[in-house]
Amino acid sequence: MNTWRNASLAVTAAAVLALTTACGQDNGAETPNGQAVGAANPAGQPADAGYGAGGGYGSGAEAGGAAAAKPAGQLAVRKSGDLGEVLTDSAGFTLYRFDKDTPNPPKSNCEGDCAKAWPVVSAEGAAAPPGVDASLMGEVTRSDGTKQLTIDGWPMYRYAKDTKAGDVNGQGVGGTWFASAPDGKKAEAGAGGGEDGGEDVAGGGGDDKAPADLAGLSVRKDPKLGEVVVDKNGMTVYGFTKDSPWPMKTACKDDCLKKWPVVAPVDGDDMEGITVSKRGNVTFNRPDGIKQQTIDCRPLYTFAGDTKPGDTNGQGVGGSWYAVGPDGKLVGAPE
């Protein structure tokens, strides 16, 4: 029995080591189901990155003091039933605004116990979703010195009772809390994603397949480039030749991320047409604390210059940026 158990453990360890070696031990890779591989998160975040009950954003948030603000990372736009389009953080959690705050000048009126139930969203590392005006993003300095993300002047929060991506349990609480539309207006039932009816700003229109119909990552046939990977909004996905898949490292930081927002983590079962094994499509815990999806250990991005699904304006930019194929290779990149 001991011999069998030791052999089994050895096989398991070898499999983990193989994946760790492929993507790099020191860059905080995770397996597709979220289990950490290699070293701890370089940013010092807990294993659940603060989005579950143990990190101050789930059902246990009220137990201690005000939850520490967590970086928003790459923002995204999600269809949410009759609320229309709502803004989410990089992990897919809904962002909210508070009627008792003010947008001009930006000011938060949620402190103390309020901030336990409504953890603030830090402006650190925040990047606008594709197709959304980045000039709407800003920050306000709170009384404790935290730089809080604002959208069109409105401070952004999460809700402690949203325990998984896609929850909108904070909608309408107290008649003062509302999910934020991409332009900072309230997302309200029947409003189409904003107070004034809103517009489809999540990557524009004109594609023959609505974003709601797409998997987290899928493949599109481009007339010039052939098969390329697109995100859930139909936006072309790119890779950067200056990044390193083995070991995983990123050369796109700070201002670079404003033009090349990272692709947020995607569940392995939410990929269609990707030919690389799921075990090679891990989550990259970047040194700046942002979580980024990879294909074959290659970090993935979209391009701010693409304004609608089907655009490939990022192809060949600077001789370093290329669309990603379903096999994880860069389409048209020099050998």
Side-chain angles (χ1 to χ4, degrees), residues 219-250:
V219 177
R220 177 180 64 81
K221 184 76 171 181
D222 185 84
K224 294 182 179 179
L225 302 178
E227 289 190 332
V228 298
V229 178
V230 298
D231 69 3
K232 64 182 178 180
N233 297 315
M235 307 302 288
T236 304
V237 169
Y238 298 90
F240 188 27
T241 60
K242 296 182 181 180
D243 284 353
S244 169
W246 306 283
M248 272 201 302
K249 293 182 181 179
T250 177

mmCIF file of all heavy atoms in Angstrom, residues 219-250:
data_model
loop_
_atom_site.group_PDB
_atom_site.id
_atom_site.type_symbol
_atom_site.label_atom_id
_atom_site.label_comp_id
_atom_site.label_asym_id
_atom_site.label_seq_id
_atom_site.Cartn_x
_atom_site.Cartn_y
_atom_site.Cartn_z
ATOM 1 N N VAL A 219 -12.846 31.422 -31.239
ATOM 2 C CA VAL A 219 -12.051 31.631 -32.450
ATOM 3 C C VAL A 219 -12.926 32.236 -33.546
ATOM 4 O O VAL A 219 -14.069 31.797 -33.751
ATOM 5 C CB VAL A 219 -11.422 30.305 -32.934
ATOM 6 C CG1 VAL A 219 -10.666 30.505 -34.237
ATOM 7 C CG2 VAL A 219 -10.492 29.752 -31.863
ATOM 8 N N ARG A 220 -12.406 33.239 -34.223
ATOM 9 C CA ARG A 220 -13.106 33.896 -35.328
ATOM 10 C C ARG A 220 -12.263 33.781 -36.592
ATOM 11 O O ARG A 220 -11.042 33.852 -36.546
ATOM 12 C CB ARG A 220 -13.336 35.379 -34.990
ATOM 13 C CG ARG A 220 -13.992 36.180 -36.107
ATOM 14 C CD ARG A 220 -14.194 37.635 -35.696
ATOM 15 N NE ARG A 220 -12.914 38.303 -35.479
ATOM 16 C CZ ARG A 220 -12.153 38.806 -36.450
ATOM 17 N NH1 ARG A 220 -12.531 38.704 -37.714
ATOM 18 N NH2 ARG A 220 -11.013 39.406 -36.164
ATOM 19 N N LYS A 221 -12.925 33.624 -37.715
ATOM 20 C CA LYS A 221 -12.237 33.563 -39.001
ATOM 21 C C LYS A 221 -12.114 34.975 -39.552
ATOM 22 O O LYS A 221 -13.095 35.593 -39.956
ATOM 23 C CB LYS A 221 -13.011 32.674 -39.977
ATOM 24 C CG LYS A 221 -12.335 32.474 -41.319
ATOM 25 C CD LYS A 221 -11.176 31.509 -41.213
ATOM 26 C CE LYS A 221 -10.647 31.138 -42.601
ATOM 27 N NZ LYS A 221 -9.523 30.180 -42.526
ATOM 28 N N ASP A 222 -10.904 35.513 -39.534
ATOM 29 C CA ASP A 222 -10.663 36.846 -40.069
ATOM 30 C C ASP A 222 -10.305 36.729 -41.552
ATOM 31 O O ASP A 222 -9.506 35.861 -41.928
ATOM 32 C CB ASP A 222 -9.509 37.509 -39.304
ATOM 33 C CG ASP A 222 -9.283 38.947 -39.741
ATOM 34 O OD1 ASP A 222 -9.972 39.834 -39.223
ATOM 35 O OD2 ASP A 222 -8.407 39.160 -40.624
ATOM 36 N N PRO A 223 -10.867 37.599 -42.411
ATOM 37 C CA PRO A 223 -10.620 37.470 -43.846
ATOM 38 C C PRO A 223 -9.159 37.651 -44.247
ATOM 39 O O PRO A 223 -8.730 37.136 -45.271
ATOM 40 C CB PRO A 223 -11.500 38.566 -44.459
ATOM 41 C CG PRO A 223 -11.803 39.506 -43.336
ATOM 42 C CD PRO A 223 -11.817 38.669 -42.107
ATOM 43 N N LYS A 224 -8.384 38.368 -43.452
ATOM 44 C CA LYS A 224 -6.975 38.603 -43.772
ATOM 45 C C LYS A 224 -6.027 37.726 -42.958
ATOM 46 O O LYS A 224 -5.012 37.261 -43.461
ATOM 47 C CB LYS A 224 -6.621 40.074 -43.548
ATOM 48 C CG LYS A 224 -7.329 41.033 -44.491
ATOM 49 C CD LYS A 224 -6.880 42.458 -44.240
ATOM 50 C CE LYS A 224 -7.563 43.430 -45.199
ATOM 51 N NZ LYS A 224 -7.140 44.846 -44.950
ATOM 52 N N LEU A 225 -6.353 37.502 -41.694
ATOM 53 C CA LEU A 225 -5.422 36.833 -40.789
ATOM 54 C C LEU A 225 -5.714 35.354 -40.604
ATOM 55 O O LEU A 225 -4.876 34.617 -40.081
ATOM 56 C CB LEU A 225 -5.432 37.528 -39.420
ATOM 57 C CG LEU A 225 -5.080 39.019 -39.415
ATOM 58 C CD1 LEU A 225 -5.178 39.572 -37.997
ATOM 59 C CD2 LEU A 225 -3.697 39.258 -39.995
ATOM 60 N N GLY A 226 -6.877 34.914 -41.010
ATOM 61 C CA GLY A 226 -7.266 33.536 -40.757
ATOM 62 C C GLY A 226 -7.896 33.391 -39.374
ATOM 63 O O GLY A 226 -8.558 34.320 -38.893
ATOM 64 N N GLU A 227 -7.682 32.283 -38.705
ATOM 65 C CA GLU A 227 -8.298 32.039 -37.405
ATOM 66 C C GLU A 227 -7.560 32.805 -36.309
ATOM 67 O O GLU A 227 -6.344 32.649 -36.145
ATOM 68 C CB GLU A 227 -8.293 30.549 -37.086
ATOM 69 C CG GLU A 227 -9.256 29.742 -37.939
ATOM 70 C CD GLU A 227 -9.404 28.324 -37.443
ATOM 71 O OE1 GLU A 227 -8.450 27.797 -36.825
ATOM 72 O OE2 GLU A 227 -10.484 27.736 -37.658
ATOM 73 N N VAL A 228 -8.301 33.635 -35.585
ATOM 74 C CA VAL A 228 -7.728 34.393 -34.470
ATOM 75 C C VAL A 228 -8.636 34.243 -33.261
ATOM 76 O O VAL A 228 -9.839 34.026 -33.376
ATOM 77 C CB VAL A 228 -7.559 35.889 -34.816
ATOM 78 C CG1 VAL A 228 -6.586 36.071 -35.978
ATOM 79 C CG2 VAL A 228 -8.894 36.544 -35.142
ATOM 80 N N VAL A 229 -8.051 34.367 -32.084
ATOM 81 C CA VAL A 229 -8.797 34.261 -30.833
ATOM 82 C C VAL A 229 -9.467 35.598 -30.514
ATOM 83 O O VAL A 229 -8.885 36.662 -30.722
ATOM 84 C CB VAL A 229 -7.861 33.848 -29.681
ATOM 85 C CG1 VAL A 229 -8.617 33.793 -28.355
ATOM 86 C CG2 VAL A 229 -7.227 32.488 -29.973
ATOM 87 N N VAL A 230 -10.699 35.533 -30.013
ATOM 88 C CA VAL A 230 -11.421 36.726 -29.566
ATOM 89 C C VAL A 230 -11.920 36.501 -28.151
ATOM 90 O O VAL A 230 -12.087 35.362 -27.705
ATOM 91 C CB VAL A 230 -12.607 37.069 -30.497
ATOM 92 C CG1 VAL A 230 -12.111 37.388 -31.901
ATOM 93 C CG2 VAL A 230 -13.634 35.943 -30.530
ATOM 94 N N ASP A 231 -12.173 37.609 -27.429
ATOM 95 C CA ASP A 231 -12.677 37.499 -26.059
ATOM 96 C C ASP A 231 -14.198 37.424 -26.067
ATOM 97 O O ASP A 231 -14.830 37.337 -27.132
ATOM 98 C CB ASP A 231 -12.155 38.655 -25.191
ATOM 99 C CG ASP A 231 -12.746 40.007 -25.572
ATOM 100 O OD1 ASP A 231 -13.621 40.085 -26.468
ATOM 101 O OD2 ASP A 231 -12.340 41.020 -24.968
ATOM 102 N N LYS A 232 -14.801 37.491 -24.891
ATOM 103 C CA LYS A 232 -16.247 37.327 -24.780
ATOM 104 C C LYS A 232 -17.027 38.455 -25.445
ATOM 105 O O LYS A 232 -18.220 38.316 -25.719
ATOM 106 C CB LYS A 232 -16.650 37.231 -23.300
ATOM 107 C CG LYS A 232 -16.352 38.500 -22.498
ATOM 108 C CD LYS A 232 -16.722 38.314 -21.038
ATOM 109 C CE LYS A 232 -16.389 39.565 -20.228
ATOM 110 N NZ LYS A 232 -16.738 39.395 -18.797
ATOM 111 N N ASN A 233 -16.349 39.588 -25.706
ATOM 112 C CA ASN A 233 -16.991 40.703 -26.387
ATOM 113 C C ASN A 233 -16.721 40.704 -27.886
ATOM 114 O O ASN A 233 -17.101 41.634 -28.587
ATOM 115 C CB ASN A 233 -16.505 42.034 -25.789
ATOM 116 C CG ASN A 233 -16.896 42.183 -24.334
ATOM 117 O OD1 ASN A 233 -18.019 41.899 -23.952
ATOM 118 N ND2 ASN A 233 -15.962 42.626 -23.507
ATOM 119 N N GLY A 234 -16.039 39.664 -28.365
ATOM 120 C CA GLY A 234 -15.733 39.585 -29.779
ATOM 121 C C GLY A 234 -14.518 40.391 -30.191
ATOM 122 O O GLY A 234 -14.236 40.525 -31.387
ATOM 123 N N MET A 235 -13.768 40.906 -29.206
ATOM 124 C CA MET A 235 -12.603 41.725 -29.503
ATOM 125 C C MET A 235 -11.376 40.841 -29.729
ATOM 126 O O MET A 235 -11.157 39.865 -29.006
ATOM 127 C CB MET A 235 -12.337 42.718 -28.369
ATOM 128 C CG MET A 235 -13.548 43.583 -27.997
ATOM 129 S SD MET A 235 -14.205 44.551 -29.377
ATOM 130 C CE MET A 235 -12.904 45.779 -29.563
ATOM 131 N N THR A 236 -10.577 41.202 -30.727
ATOM 132 C CA THR A 236 -9.388 40.426 -31.069
ATOM 133 C C THR A 236 -8.409 40.384 -29.902
ATOM 134 O O THR A 236 -8.192 41.376 -29.212
ATOM 135 C CB THR A 236 -8.699 41.042 -32.295
ATOM 136 O OG1 THR A 236 -9.648 41.104 -33.374
ATOM 137 C CG2 THR A 236 -7.489 40.218 -32.731
ATOM 138 N N VAL A 237 -7.820 39.206 -29.692
ATOM 139 C CA VAL A 237 -6.855 38.989 -28.616
ATOM 140 C C VAL A 237 -5.446 38.992 -29.205
ATOM 141 O O VAL A 237 -5.197 38.401 -30.255
ATOM 142 C CB VAL A 237 -7.138 37.654 -27.906
ATOM 143 C CG1 VAL A 237 -6.010 37.272 -26.958
ATOM 144 C CG2 VAL A 237 -8.465 37.749 -27.137
ATOM 145 N N TYR A 238 -4.525 39.684 -28.510
ATOM 146 C CA TYR A 238 -3.161 39.857 -29.013
ATOM 147 C C TYR A 238 -2.128 39.316 -28.030
ATOM 148 O O TYR A 238 -2.389 39.179 -26.828
ATOM 149 C CB TYR A 238 -2.865 41.348 -29.248
ATOM 150 C CG TYR A 238 -3.747 41.997 -30.272
ATOM 151 C CD1 TYR A 238 -4.951 42.602 -29.899
ATOM 152 C CD2 TYR A 238 -3.395 42.032 -31.621
ATOM 153 C CE1 TYR A 238 -5.776 43.207 -30.838
ATOM 154 C CE2 TYR A 238 -4.214 42.645 -32.566
ATOM 155 C CZ TYR A 238 -5.399 43.226 -32.171
ATOM 156 O OH TYR A 238 -6.212 43.823 -33.106
ATOM 157 N N GLY A 239 -0.939 39.044 -28.569
ATOM 158 C CA GLY A 239 0.227 38.714 -27.764
ATOM 159 C C GLY A 239 1.345 39.688 -28.076
ATOM 160 O O GLY A 239 1.361 40.330 -29.134
ATOM 161 N N PHE A 240 2.291 39.798 -27.149
ATOM 162 C CA PHE A 240 3.382 40.770 -27.224
ATOM 163 C C PHE A 240 4.689 39.990 -27.356
ATOM 164 O O PHE A 240 5.013 39.162 -26.499
ATOM 165 C CB PHE A 240 3.374 41.609 -25.951
ATOM 166 C CG PHE A 240 4.300 42.783 -25.931
ATOM 167 C CD1 PHE A 240 4.697 43.438 -27.086
ATOM 168 C CD2 PHE A 240 4.775 43.277 -24.717
ATOM 169 C CE1 PHE A 240 5.539 44.534 -27.057
ATOM 170 C CE2 PHE A 240 5.619 44.378 -24.666
ATOM 171 C CZ PHE A 240 5.998 45.006 -25.830
ATOM 172 N N THR A 241 5.436 40.248 -28.426
ATOM 173 C CA THR A 241 6.653 39.474 -28.648
ATOM 174 C C THR A 241 7.695 39.694 -27.561
ATOM 175 O O THR A 241 8.596 38.870 -27.385
ATOM 176 C CB THR A 241 7.277 39.822 -30.009
ATOM 177 O OG1 THR A 241 7.607 41.219 -30.046
ATOM 178 C CG2 THR A 241 6.327 39.496 -31.154
ATOM 179 N N LYS A 242 7.581 40.791 -26.809
ATOM 180 C CA LYS A 242 8.558 41.062 -25.757
ATOM 181 C C LYS A 242 8.209 40.366 -24.445
ATOM 182 O O LYS A 242 8.985 40.403 -23.495
ATOM 183 C CB LYS A 242 8.711 42.569 -25.550
ATOM 184 C CG LYS A 242 9.282 43.279 -26.767
ATOM 185 C CD LYS A 242 9.463 44.772 -26.525
ATOM 186 C CE LYS A 242 10.024 45.460 -27.765
ATOM 187 N NZ LYS A 242 10.222 46.917 -27.573
ATOM 188 N N ASP A 243 7.013 39.750 -24.377
ATOM 189 C CA ASP A 243 6.673 38.920 -23.230
ATOM 190 C C ASP A 243 7.390 37.575 -23.360
ATOM 191 O O ASP A 243 7.874 37.223 -24.444
ATOM 192 C CB ASP A 243 5.161 38.671 -23.157
ATOM 193 C CG ASP A 243 4.392 39.865 -22.639
ATOM 194 O OD1 ASP A 243 5.028 40.847 -22.218
ATOM 195 O OD2 ASP A 243 3.147 39.823 -22.683
ATOM 196 N N SER A 244 7.430 36.841 -22.260
ATOM 197 C CA SER A 244 8.057 35.522 -22.265
ATOM 198 C C SER A 244 7.072 34.488 -21.723
ATOM 199 O O SER A 244 6.607 34.610 -20.589
ATOM 200 C CB SER A 244 9.320 35.529 -21.401
ATOM 201 O OG SER A 244 9.788 34.220 -21.186
ATOM 202 N N PRO A 245 6.734 33.461 -22.545
ATOM 203 C CA PRO A 245 5.869 32.405 -22.025
ATOM 204 C C PRO A 245 6.607 31.418 -21.116
ATOM 205 O O PRO A 245 6.004 30.852 -20.218
ATOM 206 C CB PRO A 245 5.375 31.699 -23.294
ATOM 207 C CG PRO A 245 5.741 32.597 -24.445
ATOM 208 C CD PRO A 245 6.964 33.340 -23.988
ATOM 209 N N TRP A 246 7.894 31.214 -21.359
ATOM 210 C CA TRP A 246 8.659 30.184 -20.627
ATOM 211 C C TRP A 246 9.999 30.746 -20.172
ATOM 212 O O TRP A 246 10.936 30.800 -20.985
ATOM 213 C CB TRP A 246 8.883 28.966 -21.522
ATOM 214 C CG TRP A 246 7.616 28.449 -22.085
ATOM 215 C CD1 TRP A 246 6.664 27.692 -21.459
ATOM 216 C CD2 TRP A 246 7.151 28.625 -23.423
ATOM 217 N NE1 TRP A 246 5.632 27.400 -22.315
ATOM 218 C CE2 TRP A 246 5.919 27.963 -23.530
ATOM 219 C CE3 TRP A 246 7.663 29.286 -24.547
ATOM 220 C CZ2 TRP A 246 5.183 27.943 -24.714
ATOM 221 C CZ3 TRP A 246 6.932 29.267 -25.719
ATOM 222 C CH2 TRP A 246 5.710 28.595 -25.785
ATOM 223 N N PRO A 247 10.166 31.235 -18.950
ATOM 224 C CA PRO A 247 9.114 31.357 -17.931
ATOM 225 C C PRO A 247 8.226 32.565 -18.206
ATOM 226 O O PRO A 247 8.618 33.479 -18.920
ATOM 227 C CB PRO A 247 9.913 31.566 -16.641
ATOM 228 C CG PRO A 247 11.138 32.281 -17.097
ATOM 229 C CD PRO A 247 11.483 31.684 -18.442
ATOM 230 N N MET A 248 7.007 32.551 -17.644
ATOM 231 C CA MET A 248 6.064 33.627 -17.900
ATOM 232 C C MET A 248 6.552 34.936 -17.285
ATOM 233 O O MET A 248 6.741 35.032 -16.079
ATOM 234 C CB MET A 248 4.686 33.295 -17.331
ATOM 235 C CG MET A 248 3.807 32.531 -18.278
ATOM 236 S SD MET A 248 2.049 32.668 -17.846
ATOM 237 C CE MET A 248 2.078 32.025 -16.190
ATOM 238 N N LYS A 249 6.732 35.923 -18.147
ATOM 239 C CA LYS A 249 7.095 37.269 -17.722
ATOM 240 C C LYS A 249 6.377 38.256 -18.628
ATOM 241 O O LYS A 249 6.065 37.943 -19.776
ATOM 242 C CB LYS A 249 8.605 37.489 -17.809
ATOM 243 C CG LYS A 249 9.426 36.661 -16.828
ATOM 244 C CD LYS A 249 10.919 36.982 -16.968
ATOM 245 C CE LYS A 249 11.733 36.135 -16.000
ATOM 246 N NZ LYS A 249 13.193 36.405 -16.137
ATOM 247 N N THR A 250 6.114 39.452 -18.111
ATOM 248 C CA THR A 250 5.453 40.474 -18.908
ATOM 249 C C THR A 250 6.352 41.693 -19.082
ATOM 250 O O THR A 250 7.026 42.111 -18.140
ATOM 251 C CB THR A 250 4.118 40.910 -18.283
ATOM 252 O OG1 THR A 250 3.552 41.959 -19.065
ATOM 253 C CG2 THR A 250 4.305 41.408 -16.847
#
